[in-house]
Amino acid sequence: MIKRFFIPVLCATSLLLSSCASSQKNSATQPIPSLKEIFKNDFAIGTALNTAQIEEKDAKVDALIKQQFNMATPENIMKAEIIHPQWDKYDFTVADKMIEYGEKNNIKINGHTLVWHSQLPAFARNIKNVDSFKTFFSNHINTVAGRYSGKIFSWDVVNEALNEDGTMRKSIFLDRLGDNFVTEAFRLAAAASPNTELYYNDYNNEQPAKRAGCIALVKKVQAAGVRIDGVGIQGHWHAGKVPFKDIEASILEYSALGLKVMFTEVDIEVLPRNFSGADVSQRMKEDPSLNPYVNGLPDSVQQQLANDYAALFNLFLKHKDKITRVTFWGVDDGQSWLNGWPVRGRTNHPLLFDRALQPKPAFYKVIETKKNEKKGF
Ligand code: XIL
């Protein structure tokens, strides 16, 4: 166990984290619990990794990742604009490193993502001819999924193909290939990587209308006799507004289709927002009033975040027979994409570890959910 992850016993047990810093030096220490250990019989615990983390640039972050997580998703480096920058050119440099990193550290890799309208390379966005687009589509899936066949645990085969009302999003894929493109993507991925789990992934697909669209989409793939193993609910939620009832209904309805359910990009943001979901093309204007917690979270918000995370994990535990993985979209608050989206340059606090890599009250509340489950609460 690595020394830097020792924290005062008092803090761990009493949850009085805000007052821990000053007492840290003198108290007896114990290691902070490991999420992957605590939930090892329930579901896998994942994180998104950026290039610096894959390349093990920072020893402290690296040790924390290895201590806490048994699955990892590349935050960006397997997206088409990076891995397939030109028609006949692929760049597997960092993706290969991620596979090695996973093998070396016993961390399973969740590939993200084969088909997504966002972060597409310029050449693909400019393909007007339908046959050429079909060739790009199948070359991309065959080459990328084929390369990592047998080495990667799962693929988000298609990401975000739906609108909020459950209809198909008007993306370049729908426009060039028609609404069968989702089924075709799964057919190609299953052939290129037969032993990899294959998922459909989206945000807000716990909401009733989008959920209904998602179910229809899955049924269409299944009706075509094509393999689909699971549905990923991204889980980009907002403190105080986590839709617990819809999440529970979604777990039940998706698993009733014979699918694994996973939470693939969990973060609970605390900053003001005038819309929900995670459409990366949606933005808000910068304004100092939208960035209130530059110097840290007030206690009330810290507690709200902790309570939301606790309620979420209580729900996950209640349905652990249906949930295979919970992945956080980042290791610590400093890494979170929510510092730059939907408003640039904010200080957000959506994860379980703070910028100094210290566990937050939400972390300990999540650990408590397992202890309480054992006690039968
Ligand atoms: C985000 C990354 O975290 C950012 O670094 C990048 O600039 C934009 O994409 N839904 C997804 C993820 O499926 O791929 C997105 O990741 C967040 C929303």
Side-chain angles (χ1 to χ4, degrees):
M1 188 53 64
I2 292 163
K3 262 238 168 74
R4 60 179 72 94
F5 293 124
F6 282 62
I7 53 136
V9 170
L10 184 70
C11 301
T13 51
S14 68
L15 307 183
L16 291 170
L17 288 196
S18 45
S19 59
C20 285
S22 54
S23 60
Q24 211 158 343
K25 276 187 211 143
N26 299 326
S27 345
T29 57
Q30 73 171 33
I32 63 166
S34 155
L35 292 167
K36 71 174 176 189
E37 285 302 320
I38 298 277
F39 296 105
K40 68 174 179 234
N41 297 322
D42 306 318
F43 30 72
I45 299 285
T47 183
L49 296 183
N50 61 27
T51 301
Q53 291 164 335
I54 294 164
E55 293 181 342
E56 300 172 74
K57 297 276 193 220
D58 179 324
K60 284 188 191 168
V61 184
D62 193 45
L64 183 60
I65 295 166
K66 291 168 187 170
Q67 187 207 32
Q68 295 291 329
F69 304 102
N70 48 23
M71 292 221 187
T73 306
E75 187 174 357
N76 287 300
I77 53 96
M78 286 188 186
K79 291 173 181 170
E81 74 175 352
I82 295 179
I83 212 164
H84 189 178
Q86 288 166 37
W87 177 267
D88 53 359
K89 194 171 164 255
Y90 291 82
D91 183 352
F92 295 114
T93 321
V94 192
D96 284 358
K97 283 187 191 168
M98 178 140 195
I99 301 288
E100 273 170 46
Y101 178 90
E103 280 167 1
K104 201 170 66 184
N105 297 302
N106 231 346
I107 293 175
K108 290 186 178 138
I109 306 302
N110 309 111
H112 177 78
T113 170
L114 293 170
V115 177
W116 190 28
H117 60 276
S118 196
Q119 292 182 267
L120 272 177
F123 85 86
R125 280 186 270 120
N126 293 327
I127 303 172
K128 304 276 184 274
N129 179 283
V130 167
D131 284 336
S132 305
F133 197 84
K134 272 187 191 156
T135 307
F136 153 71
F137 184 77
S138 51
N139 281 353
H140 179 75
I141 296 175
N142 288 338
T143 308
V144 178
R147 181 177 185 92
Y148 298 118
S149 178
K151 296 186 173 168
I152 205 166
F153 180 74
S154 63
W155 270 111
D156 292 338
V157 178
V158 177
N159 198 33
E160 303 178 356
L162 293 164
N163 291 317
E164 299 307 287
D165 66 0
T167 58
M168 295 292 288
R169 180 192 286 271
K170 290 205 177 334
S171 70
I172 188 168
F173 294 100
L174 184 70
D175 182 67
R176 305 288 194 277
L177 305 174
D179 61 9
N180 249 352
F181 83 85
V182 175
T183 304
E184 287 317 304
F186 278 86
R187 197 193 301 280
L188 289 164
S193 193
N195 299 315
T196 297
E197 295 197 355
L198 306 177
Y199 311 141
Y200 175 76
N201 195 51
D202 215 327
Y203 61 85
N204 279 355
N205 54 342
E206 75 280 354
Q207 295 298 317
K210 200 162 181 176
R211 187 199 315 154
C214 192
I215 289 171
L217 202 58
V218 168
K219 284 187 169 165
K220 201 171 161 186
V221 178
Q222 291 174 326
V226 172
R227 180 165 66 89
I228 174 168
D229 299 298
V231 167
I233 296 171
Q234 290 184 6
H236 296 292
W237 292 306
H238 202 285
K241 298 184 198 159
V242 180
F244 297 109
K245 283 213 169 75
D246 294 321
I247 297 169
E248 182 161 35
S250 302
I251 296 168
L252 296 172
E253 290 181 27
Y254 289 139
S255 77
L257 299 171
L259 298 178
K260 296 176 180 175
V261 181
M262 62 223 68
F263 293 85
T264 53
E265 305 183 15
V266 174
D267 45 29
I268 302 181
E269 77 166 295
V270 295
L271 298 180
R273 251 238 245 157
N274 57 14
F275 66 97
S276 74
D279 187 335
V280 292
S281 66
Q282 236 173 322
R283 297 239 157 218
M284 281 165 72
K285 240 181 94 202
E286 277 170 59
D287 185 302
S289 71
L290 297 176
N291 194 19
Y293 308 135
V294 175
N295 299 318
L297 274 186
D299 239 32
S300 60
V301 187
Q302 194 76 271
Q303 288 315 320
Q304 174 74 60
L305 186 72
N307 291 338
D308 281 347
Y309 266 116
L312 203 51
F313 272 76
N314 278 329
L315 192 57
F316 293 162
L317 284 172
K318 181 177 172 195
H319 295 293
K320 61 187 180 188
D321 57 323
K322 304 172 188 72
I323 297 170
T324 54
R325 166 168 60 103
V326 178
T327 290
F328 296 89
W329 204 240
V331 177
D332 67 283
D333 287 342
Q335 176 198 347
S336 172
W337 73 303
L338 294 171
N339 295 308
W341 182 91
V343 182
R344 258 177 281 274
R346 296 201 294 182
T347 305
N348 222 325
H349 308 263
L351 297 167
L352 298 187
F353 295 94
D354 68 16
R355 289 172 160 67
L357 305 180
Q358 293 305 303
K360 292 155 69 175
F363 173 87
Y364 288 102
K365 281 266 199 169
V366 164
I367 299 291
E368 286 290 308
T369 63
K370 185 66 194 174
K371 291 187 187 148
N372 292 339
E373 186 204 29
K374 282 184 185 152
K375 287 183 204 147
F377 292 174

